[in-house]
Structures are given as C-alpha cells and as structure tokens.
Amino acid sequence: MVLQVPLIPHSGPPILVHQFGTITHRSLSEQELANFDRERIPERVVHARGTPLIVRFSTVIHERGSPETLRDPRGFAVKFYTREGNFDLVGNNFPVFFIRDGMKFPDMVHALKPNPKSHIQENWRILDFFSHHPECLHMFTFLFDDIGIPQDYRHMDGSGVHTYTLIDKAGKARYVKFHWKPTCGVKNLLEDEAITVGGANHSHATQDLYDSIAAGNYPEWKVFIQVMDPADEDRFDFDPLDVTKTWPEDILPLQPVGRMVLTKNIDNFFAENEQLAFCPSIIVPGIYYSDDKLLQTMIFSYSDTQRHRLGPNYLQLPANAPKCVHHNNHHEGFMNFMHRNEEVNYFPSRFDPARHVEKYPIPTAICSGKRDKKENNFKQPGERYRSFAPDRQERFVKRWIEALSDPRVTYEIRSIWISYWS
C-alpha cells in the first residue's frame, strides 16, 4: 500500500524521501501541531474539576483551576459496572437541588457562573435569578450552612438527589432515593479554616483523597436507600418527585443496602477522568426513571453534553464502556473504533440474536395530571434552619447578610429575600 501525501510548497528544511511516498518535515510538524491543538477536551460547564475512580468527586460551578475551599456543592457521581451493563448515578453531597424544572437549568448555571462581561462571579446575579424561584430556599439552607464547604471528599455525604424507580421481575414498582454516609463522619471548614487550607494548597481535597487511597486508608461510605410505594405519594404534604424536597426519614427510614470502598487511584488522568462520562439515562434492568421533572431533563442533557465533549461514540471509550458483553445498533460516526462484521444493525429483526435475551418489565406510564402538586417552598427550609444550634443559625444569617450587601443587589431583590427567609 502506498501512502499518498500531497506535497506542500516550502522553502524550509530539505524534503525527506520515504519508501512509501514523499513526506515533508512541514507535514510532520503540522500533524504534531494539529494533535497538540486537540489534546484537551472542552471543560465541563459544571463539575469542571474532580477526582474520579468509579466515583467522580467534583466542585460544581467554579472552573478547573479554582480552589477546593470555595463554598459550592460537590458532585458525587457513581458509575456502577454491573454484569448487565452500566448504571450511572449522578448526584451531589446535598440531598436537594436549587430548582425543580430542568428547563431552567441553563439559566441557573448562567446566573451562577461569572458575569459574561467582567468574568467575575457576582452575588447580585445569583440573588436576582433565585429571587424568582423560592423553591431554591431548601438548597440554600445546605449551601449557606456550615456544611457548604466540605473539609475534603472523604468526609462528605453523597446523594442521588433524583427519585428513581425500582422494579422487580413481576413488574412491581417502588420509588427510591440513594444515599451515601461516610464511615469517618462528615467534616467541614468554616470560613477562616478554608482560608488557611486554601492558601496552602488549592487542590487540598484532591490530594487528600489521592494520598489516603495510596496509603491504604481507603475511604468508605455506607450506602442506603429510601423506598416509597407510588400509591402513597399523595399522602404527603409535598411532592416526592420534587428535587427541592427531602423525604422524612422518620416515615421513610434509610435502609442499608451495602458499602462503597475506594481502593485504587486512577492511572491516567486524561483517559479515566477527562474521558469519563456520566449520564443519568444509563440504567440497568431493575432500575428505571420516574416523573421527576429535573431527572427527565437530565436524561437528555447529560448525554447530549457528553456527545459534544467526547463525540458520538463516547460510550466506546474504556472508562465508559460496559465491562460485560454488550451490543447496540449504533452505526459509524466520528471516532468509531469498534470493528463489526454484522449485517443486521437495526431492531427489531428476526435475524437478531438479541431478540432472545431475557426481557424485563418497564412500568406503564399513566398520565392523570398528578404532577400538578401542592407547593410549599418554605416548610422544609424553615424546619431545617430551626434545627440548627444558635451559633450555627448566626453564622447562616451572617453569610446571607454578606451576600445581600452586594451593592448591586437592589432594594426590591433584597426585600424579596428578607421576606422569603422571614
């Protein structure tokens, strides 16, 4: 086979004659430069930095080079490599979220990100946006609380946030929420402690996690679920599928289902972190979605984001591919490196051996208008604030005074927030 390379006019280094054709030094350098220009995958819009194993911990709003001591939710994403495929559970260290409607997600992120004019993150933009969404109050009782700055990734809770559905082989469905509790306890940093820690090492939490695993001090979490019969969802004074709400543990207790131990650091940051992709749409038999409005949006949004970041065949990358035998009808596309010699790449087909695999039930959707739920945005945040000790309440209020003191926060916006918290 002869390699045909077009000659490029040049007045530079001499031409090299190769037995398979004619190649210039310039064409070689262009290939190297072109590859160099594409070494980096575009940064995640949110969760830009983190340390993955099977779990990927991350900060959320701030860019890749930001200190890990900033007040910010922490990403807690888990990819389960099961015998029946992968299950991606994308969550945070808090059990609730800012908004319940996924269509507002892009606007929310824009408000939390730096000002597009000055590239500075500013409180007035955040407070302006969320003043229109009082459902955010519950999330802010976590973010502006003492737990708003975790000491490190080993000492923080994890939550799936969304409501999923568990389905047995008879087709019986139950709503489920997932929780992780660190066996070493939850530890946080107050503002003065964060300044001290952040001044010494802006990646202190990443280093702590890496060093702990390398030393054999393996981080461990107990894994719990809360389960609810969908027939009981109207018994509560809140919508169980609303991600701004928690399920009361005295009524729906945490049930232990296992433990998670992190025993190995990654070998290659690019291949196992930058190419690692989580998508809530990826589930396994026995687990299904719910009518959680934010989850329904994320099912599309995450997969679409990964196709943008990594290409249409991102699920072929080693970090994302199932470890079990698997099959799909995805066909060609950029960066497709699977060799296939099959003739049937469609479904259904009587020539397709996959039609003989075991079938699993999927709950039938019944559209009855139940999603139009009563909305109380103040009860759970109020209960949480009143559960704080007096010194903890005082620190919470001081953080809000500082945020509302931004000179660009208008009287109207400030009055709205004071009325919300009142």
Side-chain angles (χ1 to χ4, degrees), residues 119-134:
H119 199 65
I120 298 172
Q121 188 183 40
E122 296 169 318
N123 282 331
W124 68 269
R125 289 164 40 82
I126 298 171
L127 298 178
D128 176 28
F129 174 79
F130 285 114
S131 69
H132 298 275
H133 301 282

Side-chain angles (χ1 to χ4, degrees), residues 225-245:
I225 60 172
Q226 287 177 287
V227 179
M228 177 191 299
D229 190 328
D232 295 336
E233 64 176 288
D234 290 327
R235 292 174 45 204
F236 302 96
D237 62 353
F238 64 93
D239 182 357
L241 305 187
D242 181 347
V243 293
T244 70
K245 305 294 187 291

Side-chain angles (χ1 to χ4, degrees), residues 117-182:
K117 182 176 180 179
S118 64
H119 199 65
I120 298 172
Q121 188 183 40
E122 296 169 318
N123 282 331
W124 68 269
R125 289 164 40 82
I126 298 171
L127 298 178
D128 176 28
F129 174 79
F130 285 114
S131 69
H132 298 275
H133 301 282
E135 68 267 27
C136 73
L137 296 182
H138 201 186
M139 180 67 166
F140 275 114
T141 63
F142 287 88
L143 183 60
F144 274 45
D145 182 22
D146 291 348
I147 65 173
I149 307 177
Q151 175 177 296
D152 50 59
Y153 297 121
R154 293 185 297 128
H155 292 89
M156 70 180 192
D157 289 336
S159 173
V161 181
H162 297 292
T163 300
Y164 282 84
T165 305
L166 294 180
I167 311 168
D168 62 23
K169 289 195 174 183
K172 180 62 177 177
R174 292 285 190 277
Y175 289 150
V176 62
K177 280 184 176 287
F178 297 89
H179 303 270
W180 288 259
K181 303 292 183 183

Side-chain angles (χ1 to χ4, degrees), residues 42-317:
E43 180 176 319
R44 294 169 170 90
V45 177
V46 292
H47 306 283
R49 59 170 301 149
T51 302
L53 297 171
I54 296 175
V55 183
R56 185 179 192 270
F57 300 107
S58 57
T59 57
V60 175
I61 294 303
H62 308 288
E63 63 272 9
R64 189 160 16 207
S66 60
E68 293 177 305
T69 50
L70 297 179
R71 186 169 298 277
D72 195 15
R74 299 296 190 269
F76 200 111
V78 185
K79 184 184 291 288
F80 296 93
Y81 298 104
T82 81
R83 290 174 295 177
E84 298 174 296
N86 291 353
F87 171 40
D88 286 2
L89 196 56
V90 181
N92 291 319
N93 63 322
F94 302 146
V96 292
F97 199 64
F98 293 102
I99 53 174
R100 65 172 66 92
D101 186 351
M103 294 305 291
K104 300 304 297 182
F105 187 81
D107 293 309
M108 182 200 75
V109 174
H110 289 167
L112 290 166
K113 284 287 188 177
N115 185 323
K117 182 176 180 179
S118 64
H119 199 65
I120 298 172
Q121 188 183 40
E122 296 169 318
N123 282 331
W124 68 269
R125 289 164 40 82
I126 298 171
L127 298 178
D128 176 28
F129 174 79
F130 285 114
S131 69
H132 298 275
H133 301 282
E135 68 267 27
C136 73
L137 296 182
H138 201 186
M139 180 67 166
F140 275 114
T141 63
F142 287 88
L143 183 60
F144 274 45
D145 182 22
D146 291 348
I147 65 173
I149 307 177
Q151 175 177 296
D152 50 59
Y153 297 121
R154 293 185 297 128
H155 292 89
M156 70 180 192
D157 289 336
S159 173
V161 181
H162 297 292
T163 300
Y164 282 84
T165 305
L166 294 180
I167 311 168
D168 62 23
K169 289 195 174 183
K172 180 62 177 177
R174 292 285 190 277
Y175 289 150
V176 62
K177 280 184 176 287
F178 297 89
H179 303 270
W180 288 259
K181 303 292 183 183
T183 57
C184 58
V186 173
K187 296 182 180 179
N188 311 292
L189 298 174
L190 298 180
E191 281 79 355
D192 55 344
E193 297 170 320
I195 292 173
T196 302
V197 171
N201 181 359
H202 83 288
S203 297
H204 80 283
T206 297
Q207 183 169 355
D208 171 83
L209 184 65
Y210 188 94
D211 291 347
S212 297
I213 295 173
N217 181 23
Y218 300 138
E220 179 179 329
W221 285 259
K222 292 182 179 180
V223 186
F224 300 86
I225 60 172
Q226 287 177 287
V227 179
M228 177 191 299
D229 190 328
D232 295 336
E233 64 176 288
D234 290 327
R235 292 174 45 204
F236 302 96
D237 62 353
F238 64 93
D239 182 357
L241 305 187
D242 181 347
V243 293
T244 70
K245 305 294 187 291
T246 54
W247 292 4
E249 294 180 14
D250 57 336
I251 302 175
L252 302 165
L254 295 177
Q255 303 180 40
V257 293
R259 66 192 185 110
M260 182 176 71
V261 183
L262 307 184
T263 61
K264 184 179 182 296
N265 282 310
I266 59 175
D267 298 316
N268 183 294
F269 184 83
F270 183 84
E272 298 175 84
N273 181 75
E274 296 304 277
Q275 291 189 335
L276 185 65
F278 292 93
C279 306
S281 58
I282 299 176
I283 55 176
V284 291
I287 298 176
Y288 200 66
Y289 318 115
S290 75
D291 287 336
D292 173 339
K293 289 196 292 185
L294 187 65
L295 175 61
Q296 289 293 328
T297 308
M298 298 298 102
I299 287 170
F300 166 76
S301 180
Y302 269 78
S303 297
D304 188 57
T305 296
Q306 306 301 6
R307 293 184 192 101
H308 166 68
R309 290 184 60 245
L310 301 168
N313 289 298
Y314 71 94
L315 290 175
Q316 294 182 21
L317 295 168

